[in-house]
Amino acid sequence: MTVIDISPSVMQFLLAFIVVAPLLGAVAALLPAPPGLRGKNPDQAVLRHGVTVTGAVLIAAIVLAVGFDHDHPATMQATTDISWIPALGVRIHLGIDGISLPLLLLTALLTFLCALYSYFKLPAGPSPKAFTALVLVLQSGTLATFAVLDLLLFFLAFEMVLIPMYFLIARWGGDQRRAAAWKFILYTLLGSVVMLLGLLLIGLKSGTFDMVALATDNGRGLTTSVQVIAVLAVGIGLAVKTPMWPLHSWLPDAHTAAPTVGSVLLAGVLLKMGTYGFVRILLPIAPDGMRTFAPCLAAFAVVGIVYGSLACLALARNGAKGDLKRLIAYSSVGHMGFVLLGIATMTPTGVNGALFANIAHGLITGLLFFLVGAIKDRYGTADLDTLAGATGAALYGRAPRLGALLAFAAVASLGLPGLAGFWGEMLTLFGAYSPAEGLSRPAFRTFMAIGAFGTLLTAAYMLIVVRRVCMGEHAPHSQLSPDDRTPQPTNAPQSADAPNPADAPQPPSAPRRSGATGDRPATTPQLADIQGYEAAAWTPLAALTVLAGLWPAILLGLTDPAVQKLLAGGKS
């Protein structure tokens, strides 16, 4: 069933346009603007160009999804297959199925929202032209990763995103940005070198780099030893990008230093490239090798779940001086652990759960990084102790809508039923309860129990964040100074990150509103609540989080037939 009947040639054009248009847009962003499009502010003109290009790509992706045959999501659609390097057998082979289509839409949506947000809130740094061009190159590489069906093209697209992300962190990031950018590029490049060797081994031993042909062959043309070596080599490169514990240490530094839109794209899109590679390449092409390493992959995954949660708890505790962006980054290590656990089960239930968790994490964590960036802009810091404050003057009292949305994103991240985060975690745990044939059930049920314990830890640190940031710290009455227990005038000294009400025209002796409990000090002045451009960038993510949570079939209906075919060796 297709919502609108679109001819195959138009579908081919749409997919090619989605991949190529951002690259052409990046080149255009660096050229001088035509006289009629310069406007009064050239910087705003190039940012508007970024919004236009990413918006056009998003519209094309939506039309592609509307024309997609939802009755046959396991079939590659909108395919293009052109010989590119005949001597190596490399082809420009593009196509989408039920596995890649949701990731394509997620990438197009998040990049558009980042471009829209940057139009109003550009991070401090060099030329807006370079910023816009880098974001568009990043989008093109990510979209190509999810659309190409040739191993060498996959590698080129996979690597294409590294340079723009490096510069986004190094030139537009915050404190320690250069060190974080170098750590990011070194980890990912070293992993990629090993991955390339594994991809070349698969292609040379099987005689083709075509991912569809290799998936249909289902490893029959590769010996078990070749599959084991290939899974080890390719898996290391994918695990670095995911990132899997213990190859994750670049991620917290990169997120902490990156600008807001860099963190959103890194968490929402780039991490998905690693897990997509596991599903698209290793599961169907080297099933025997995956079966050998599946218990190790699951063990690393559940260690990552618990480790990420414990790191978040350590950062969230009072007096730890934890950075909220760093905490959300460590939470990604735990959430991606669930994705890897689902893949390691090698069952339709587990892999479907992994793919669902991929999309849910992109929506929820993307929203969380948007919110943390906005909070940091308002307070001037992401330090949790500062955000919580010593007197309870936190978000619910200063920017209630912003606080409510942060609480919503936090409970979505902890897997509250009815929101998107729930289904991915539940399905991966179900998959671990009954793994694929040949895998140890006792071992995977142990992994399932550890993963379930990780969900409790996730709930613990997320609720602590909500309590501290949204509600603030409640200082006991005995610990408050006499001046704190007495309502102060509005021209009392304020913290460096809070607006000074003395600047506003008002009577100097006007009293503040006193706290509701009587033992709290008076509330501090209001912060700017959610602005119009912020609502435009964040509302789609919140709405899709609710939609996917209440109607999971919207995703599972696409992924399940494709996963069934993938695990069956190309047989529907």
Side-chain angles (χ1 to χ4, degrees):
M1 178 192 70
T2 56
V3 179
I4 298 177
D5 190 16
I6 300 178
S7 69
S9 59
V10 174
M11 293 284 283
Q12 289 176 345
F13 170 78
L14 285 172
L15 184 57
F17 173 82
I18 288 168
V19 173
V20 176
L23 203 56
L24 298 177
V27 174
L30 296 174
L31 299 175
L37 298 179
R38 289 175 187 169
K40 296 181 180 179
N41 188 335
D43 290 349
Q44 290 299 104
V46 74
L47 294 172
R48 186 167 57 247
H49 168 78
V51 175
T52 303
V53 173
T54 56
V57 170
L58 177 60
I59 292 171
I62 293 172
V63 174
L64 187 71
V66 168
F68 188 81
D69 185 357
H70 292 261
D71 284 339
H72 301 91
T75 303
M76 284 294 172
Q77 302 179 36
T79 54
T80 299
D81 193 1
I82 304 170
S83 179
W84 184 36
I85 308 177
L88 297 177
V90 180
R91 307 182 67 82
I92 298 177
H93 192 182
L94 305 176
I96 55 168
D97 62 358
I99 293 172
S100 52
L101 179 61
L103 291 166
L104 207 72
L105 289 168
L106 177 68
T107 302
L109 173 64
L110 282 177
T111 314
F112 170 70
L113 296 181
C114 286
L116 180 65
Y117 186 85
S118 299
Y119 179 79
F120 295 95
K121 191 71 177 178
L122 181 69
S127 164
K129 280 190 171 187
F131 177 85
T132 302
L134 289 170
V135 169
L136 290 174
V137 171
L138 183 68
Q139 182 187 33
S140 180
T142 312
L143 290 168
T145 301
F146 300 136
V148 298
L149 297 173
D150 183 276
L151 287 179
L152 292 185
L153 274 184
F154 175 87
F155 177 78
L156 293 176
F158 196 85
E159 296 305 292
M160 184 177 169
V161 304
L162 300 185
I163 300 303
M165 182 53 72
Y166 167 80
F167 282 109
L168 286 175
I169 297 172
R171 303 303 300 276
W172 284 269
D175 296 338
Q176 305 296 321
R177 59 183 181 270
R178 293 189 183 278
W182 271 111
K183 197 171 185 179
F184 162 77
I185 200 76
L186 288 176
Y187 264 76
T188 49
L189 278 178
L190 288 174
S192 298
V193 169
V194 181
M195 184 176 75
L196 177 61
L197 296 176
L199 294 176
L200 290 174
L201 177 65
I202 292 173
L204 295 175
K205 290 295 184 180
S206 61
T208 180
F209 290 100
D210 186 272
M211 292 160 66
V212 176
L214 288 167
T216 304
D217 188 65
N218 201 220
R220 286 183 285 270
L222 300 172
T223 64
T224 301
S225 59
V226 169
Q227 290 189 36
V228 169
I229 296 171
V231 168
L232 181 61
V234 176
I236 288 174
L238 298 175
V240 171
K241 186 68 71 73
T242 299
M244 179 185 76
W245 181 91
L247 304 173
H248 69 284
S249 60
W250 62 268
L251 183 70
D253 292 338
H255 269 309
T256 304
T260 296
V261 295
S263 292
V264 172
L265 293 174
L266 182 58
V269 177
L270 265 68
L271 302 189
K272 312 301 174 283
M273 296 166 64
T275 52
Y276 175 77
F278 276 105
V279 175
R280 177 65 73 195
I281 297 174
L282 295 185
L283 276 179
I285 295 176
D288 293 337
M290 273 297 292
R291 198 169 287 108
T292 300
F293 284 106
C296 297
L297 180 62
F300 285 132
V302 296
V303 171
I305 292 170
V306 175
Y307 171 84
S309 299
L310 292 177
C312 290
L313 282 170
L315 289 169
R317 76 179 189 275
N318 191 8
K321 293 294 181 183
D323 187 282
L324 186 53
K325 283 190 74 175
R326 196 172 188 86
L327 185 147
I328 302 302
Y330 271 111
S331 77
S332 291
V333 176
H335 288 304
M336 298 310 290
F338 280 102
V339 178
L340 291 172
L341 177 61
I343 293 170
T345 67
M346 300 184 68
T347 62
T349 302
V351 176
N352 274 304
L355 294 172
F356 199 104
N358 248 351
I359 301 299
H361 179 265
L363 296 172
I364 297 168
T365 308
L367 178 58
L368 278 170
F369 276 116
F370 268 134
L371 292 169
V372 174
I375 292 170
K376 187 173 182 179
D377 289 337
R378 286 159 170 79
Y379 280 88
T381 181
D383 177 73
L384 270 167
D385 291 336
T386 304
L387 296 180
T391 58
L395 278 181
Y396 283 162
R398 304 185 69 181
R401 287 189 290 275
L402 183 59
L405 191 56
L406 177 64
F408 166 82
V411 297
S413 182
L414 64 83
L416 185 73
L419 298 176
F422 170 74
W423 295 106
E425 293 181 1
M426 186 194 71
L427 289 171
T428 57
L429 294 177
F430 278 176
Y433 182 81
S434 183
E437 185 179 352
L439 299 179
S440 170
R441 284 199 172 192
F444 271 83
R445 288 181 181 179
T446 302
F447 299 146
M448 180 198 72
I450 298 172
F453 176 67
T455 63
L456 299 179
L457 295 177
T458 303
Y461 71 74
M462 278 299 178
L463 292 177
I464 290 173
V465 167
V466 170
R467 177 180 61 79
R468 298 193 67 205
V469 177
C470 295
M471 302 176 188
E473 301 291 1
H474 179 76
H477 187 274
S478 60
Q479 295 179 7
L480 295 175
S481 67
D483 291 339
D484 284 334
R485 292 196 292 267
T486 305
Q488 300 295 317
T490 54
N491 59 354
Q494 302 295 318
S495 62
D497 59 333
N500 187 354
D503 296 335
Q506 58 183 341
S509 60
R512 290 197 213 167
R513 295 186 303 272
S514 58
T517 61
D519 60 353
R520 292 188 179 204
T523 57
T524 55
Q526 296 281 332
L527 292 173
D529 214 331
I530 296 177
Q531 306 296 299
Y533 70 92
E534 293 172 330
W538 304 343
T539 300
L541 300 179
L544 289 172
T545 298
V546 175
L547 178 63
L550 296 178
W551 189 19
I554 197 171
L555 275 177
L556 295 176
L558 285 172
T559 61
D560 185 53
V563 168
Q564 297 275 2
K565 181 177 180 179
L566 202 72
L567 295 177
K571 301 174 184 176
S572 300

